Short mmCIF file of all heavy atoms in Angstrom, two decimals:
data_model
loop_
_atom_site.label_atom_id
_atom_site.label_comp_id
_atom_site.label_asym_id
_atom_site.label_seq_id
_atom_site.Cartn_x
_atom_site.Cartn_y
_atom_site.Cartn_z
N SER B 35 9.30 24.95 -29.06
CA SER B 35 8.85 26.13 -29.80
C SER B 35 7.92 27.04 -28.99
O SER B 35 7.04 27.67 -29.54
CB SER B 35 8.14 25.69 -31.08
OG SER B 35 6.97 24.98 -30.74
N GLY B 36 8.09 27.10 -27.72
CA GLY B 36 7.33 28.06 -26.94
C GLY B 36 6.20 27.46 -26.12
O GLY B 36 5.22 28.15 -25.86
N GLY B 37 6.32 26.25 -25.71
CA GLY B 37 5.29 25.64 -24.88
C GLY B 37 5.25 26.23 -23.48
O GLY B 37 4.26 26.10 -22.78
N ALA B 38 6.32 26.91 -23.07
CA ALA B 38 6.35 27.52 -21.74
C ALA B 38 5.34 28.65 -21.64
O ALA B 38 4.86 28.96 -20.55
CB ALA B 38 7.75 28.04 -21.43
N GLU B 39 5.01 29.27 -22.75
CA GLU B 39 4.00 30.32 -22.72
C GLU B 39 2.64 29.76 -22.33
O GLU B 39 1.89 30.38 -21.62
CB GLU B 39 3.92 31.01 -24.08
CG GLU B 39 5.19 31.74 -24.44
CD GLU B 39 5.20 32.17 -25.90
OE1 GLU B 39 4.21 31.90 -26.61
OE2 GLU B 39 6.20 32.76 -26.32
N GLN B 40 2.34 28.56 -22.79
CA GLN B 40 1.08 27.92 -22.41
C GLN B 40 1.13 27.42 -20.98
O GLN B 40 0.13 27.40 -20.29
CB GLN B 40 0.78 26.75 -23.34
CG GLN B 40 0.45 27.18 -24.75
CD GLN B 40 0.19 25.97 -25.64
OE1 GLN B 40 0.38 24.83 -25.23
NE2 GLN B 40 -0.24 26.23 -26.86
N LEU B 41 2.32 27.00 -20.54
CA LEU B 41 2.46 26.46 -19.19
C LEU B 41 2.17 27.51 -18.15
O LEU B 41 1.50 27.24 -17.15
CB LEU B 41 3.87 25.90 -19.01
CG LEU B 41 4.20 25.31 -17.65
CD1 LEU B 41 3.33 24.09 -17.39
CD2 LEU B 41 5.66 24.95 -17.57
N PHE B 42 2.66 28.72 -18.35
CA PHE B 42 2.47 29.78 -17.37
C PHE B 42 1.30 30.70 -17.72
O PHE B 42 1.10 31.72 -17.09
CB PHE B 42 3.74 30.61 -17.23
CG PHE B 42 4.89 29.79 -16.72
CD1 PHE B 42 5.96 29.48 -17.53
CD2 PHE B 42 4.88 29.30 -15.44
CE1 PHE B 42 7.01 28.72 -17.07
CE2 PHE B 42 5.93 28.53 -14.96
CZ PHE B 42 7.00 28.24 -15.78
N GLY B 43 0.54 30.34 -18.74
CA GLY B 43 -0.63 31.14 -19.12
C GLY B 43 -1.75 31.02 -18.10
O GLY B 43 -1.72 30.21 -17.19
N LYS B 44 -2.76 31.83 -18.27
CA LYS B 44 -3.88 31.83 -17.33
C LYS B 44 -5.06 31.07 -17.89
O LYS B 44 -6.18 31.55 -17.85
CB LYS B 44 -4.26 33.26 -17.01
CG LYS B 44 -3.13 33.99 -16.33
CD LYS B 44 -3.63 35.20 -15.61
CE LYS B 44 -2.46 35.83 -14.91
NZ LYS B 44 -2.79 36.53 -13.74
N GLN B 45 -4.83 29.90 -18.41
CA GLN B 45 -5.91 29.07 -18.90
C GLN B 45 -6.42 28.23 -17.76
O GLN B 45 -5.66 27.51 -17.12
CB GLN B 45 -5.41 28.16 -20.03
CG GLN B 45 -4.93 28.91 -21.24
CD GLN B 45 -4.37 27.96 -22.28
OE1 GLN B 45 -4.18 26.79 -22.02
NE2 GLN B 45 -4.11 28.49 -23.45
N LYS B 46 -7.70 28.33 -17.49
CA LYS B 46 -8.29 27.56 -16.41
C LYS B 46 -8.95 26.31 -16.96
O LYS B 46 -9.48 26.30 -18.05
CB LYS B 46 -9.33 28.39 -15.67
CG LYS B 46 -8.73 29.54 -14.92
CD LYS B 46 -9.72 30.10 -13.95
CE LYS B 46 -9.03 31.14 -13.11
NZ LYS B 46 -9.75 31.47 -11.94
N ALA B 47 -8.87 25.26 -16.17
CA ALA B 47 -9.53 24.02 -16.57
C ALA B 47 -11.03 24.17 -16.41
O ALA B 47 -11.51 24.81 -15.48
CB ALA B 47 -9.01 22.88 -15.70
N ARG B 48 -11.77 23.58 -17.30
CA ARG B 48 -13.23 23.67 -17.26
C ARG B 48 -13.82 22.29 -17.43
O ARG B 48 -13.25 21.42 -18.06
CB ARG B 48 -13.74 24.58 -18.37
CG ARG B 48 -13.13 25.95 -18.36
CD ARG B 48 -14.09 26.96 -18.95
NE ARG B 48 -13.48 28.26 -19.14
CZ ARG B 48 -13.38 29.17 -18.19
NH1 ARG B 48 -13.84 28.91 -17.00
NH2 ARG B 48 -12.84 30.34 -18.43
N GLY B 49 -14.99 22.10 -16.86
CA GLY B 49 -15.73 20.87 -17.05
C GLY B 49 -15.05 19.66 -16.45
O GLY B 49 -14.64 19.66 -15.29
N ILE B 50 -14.91 18.64 -17.27
CA ILE B 50 -14.36 17.38 -16.80
C ILE B 50 -12.88 17.52 -16.46
O ILE B 50 -12.38 16.83 -15.56
CB ILE B 50 -14.60 16.25 -17.83
CG1 ILE B 50 -14.31 14.87 -17.22
CG2 ILE B 50 -13.78 16.46 -19.07
CD1 ILE B 50 -15.31 14.45 -16.20
N ASP B 51 -12.17 18.42 -17.14
CA ASP B 51 -10.76 18.64 -16.80
C ASP B 51 -10.61 19.19 -15.39
O ASP B 51 -9.67 18.83 -14.68
CB ASP B 51 -10.10 19.60 -17.79
CG ASP B 51 -9.81 18.94 -19.13
OD1 ASP B 51 -9.65 17.70 -19.13
OD2 ASP B 51 -9.75 19.64 -20.14
N LEU B 52 -11.52 20.04 -14.98
CA LEU B 52 -11.49 20.58 -13.63
C LEU B 52 -11.75 19.48 -12.60
O LEU B 52 -11.06 19.41 -11.57
CB LEU B 52 -12.53 21.70 -13.48
CG LEU B 52 -12.61 22.37 -12.12
CD1 LEU B 52 -11.31 23.08 -11.79
CD2 LEU B 52 -13.77 23.34 -12.08
N VAL B 53 -12.70 18.62 -12.88
CA VAL B 53 -13.00 17.51 -11.97
C VAL B 53 -11.80 16.57 -11.86
O VAL B 53 -11.43 16.13 -10.76
CB VAL B 53 -14.25 16.75 -12.45
CG1 VAL B 53 -14.47 15.49 -11.64
CG2 VAL B 53 -15.48 17.64 -12.41
N LEU B 54 -11.18 16.26 -13.00
CA LEU B 54 -10.02 15.38 -12.98
C LEU B 54 -8.84 16.01 -12.25
O LEU B 54 -8.11 15.33 -11.51
CB LEU B 54 -9.61 15.00 -14.40
CG LEU B 54 -10.60 14.10 -15.15
CD1 LEU B 54 -10.17 13.95 -16.60
CD2 LEU B 54 -10.70 12.75 -14.48
N HIS B 55 -8.64 17.31 -12.43
CA HIS B 55 -7.55 18.01 -11.75
C HIS B 55 -7.76 18.00 -10.24
O HIS B 55 -6.84 17.69 -9.48
CB HIS B 55 -7.44 19.44 -12.27
CG HIS B 55 -6.43 20.26 -11.55
ND1 HIS B 55 -5.08 20.05 -11.69
CD2 HIS B 55 -6.56 21.27 -10.65
CE1 HIS B 55 -4.42 20.90 -10.92
NE2 HIS B 55 -5.30 21.65 -10.28
N ARG B 56 -8.95 18.34 -9.81
CA ARG B 56 -9.24 18.35 -8.38
C ARG B 56 -9.18 16.94 -7.79
O ARG B 56 -8.69 16.76 -6.67
CB ARG B 56 -10.60 18.97 -8.11
CG ARG B 56 -10.59 20.46 -8.31
CD ARG B 56 -11.91 21.08 -7.96
NE ARG B 56 -11.86 22.52 -8.18
CZ ARG B 56 -12.92 23.29 -8.20
NH1 ARG B 56 -14.13 22.76 -8.02
NH2 ARG B 56 -12.80 24.59 -8.39
N GLY B 57 -9.65 15.96 -8.53
CA GLY B 57 -9.57 14.58 -8.07
C GLY B 57 -8.13 14.11 -7.93
O GLY B 57 -7.79 13.40 -6.98
N THR B 58 -7.27 14.53 -8.84
CA THR B 58 -5.86 14.18 -8.76
C THR B 58 -5.21 14.80 -7.53
O THR B 58 -4.45 14.15 -6.82
CB THR B 58 -5.12 14.64 -10.03
OG1 THR B 58 -5.76 14.06 -11.17
CG2 THR B 58 -3.67 14.23 -10.00
N VAL B 59 -5.53 16.06 -7.26
CA VAL B 59 -4.96 16.73 -6.08
C VAL B 59 -5.44 16.05 -4.80
O VAL B 59 -4.64 15.77 -3.90
CB VAL B 59 -5.33 18.23 -6.09
CG1 VAL B 59 -4.96 18.88 -4.77
CG2 VAL B 59 -4.65 18.94 -7.25
N ILE B 60 -6.72 15.76 -4.73
CA ILE B 60 -7.28 15.14 -3.52
C ILE B 60 -6.69 13.74 -3.30
O ILE B 60 -6.28 13.40 -2.19
CB ILE B 60 -8.82 15.09 -3.61
CG1 ILE B 60 -9.38 16.50 -3.51
CG2 ILE B 60 -9.40 14.20 -2.52
CD1 ILE B 60 -10.85 16.61 -3.83
N THR B 61 -6.62 12.93 -4.36
CA THR B 61 -6.07 11.59 -4.21
C THR B 61 -4.57 11.63 -3.92
O THR B 61 -4.05 10.76 -3.21
CB THR B 61 -6.34 10.71 -5.44
OG1 THR B 61 -5.85 11.37 -6.61
CG2 THR B 61 -7.81 10.40 -5.57
N GLY B 62 -3.87 12.64 -4.43
CA GLY B 62 -2.44 12.79 -4.12
C GLY B 62 -2.20 13.10 -2.65
O GLY B 62 -1.34 12.51 -2.01
N VAL B 63 -2.99 14.02 -2.11
CA VAL B 63 -2.88 14.36 -0.69
C VAL B 63 -3.25 13.16 0.16
O VAL B 63 -2.56 12.83 1.15
CB VAL B 63 -3.76 15.58 -0.36
CG1 VAL B 63 -3.86 15.79 1.14
CG2 VAL B 63 -3.22 16.83 -1.04
N LEU B 64 -4.32 12.47 -0.20
CA LEU B 64 -4.75 11.28 0.54
C LEU B 64 -3.69 10.18 0.48
O LEU B 64 -3.43 9.49 1.47
CB LEU B 64 -6.08 10.77 -0.01
CG LEU B 64 -6.71 9.59 0.70
CD1 LEU B 64 -7.04 9.95 2.14
CD2 LEU B 64 -7.96 9.14 -0.03
#
Side-chain angles (χ1 to χ4, degrees):
S35 65
E39 295 168 1
Q40 291 179 353
L41 179 64
F42 298 110
K44 297 199 177 209
Q45 297 176 350
K46 292 194 174 196
R48 305 208 188 276
I50 193 70
D51 285 334
L52 180 63
V53 172
L54 292 173
H55 175 71
R56 287 184 180 167
T58 304
V59 170
I60 291 169
T61 55
V63 169
L64 184 62

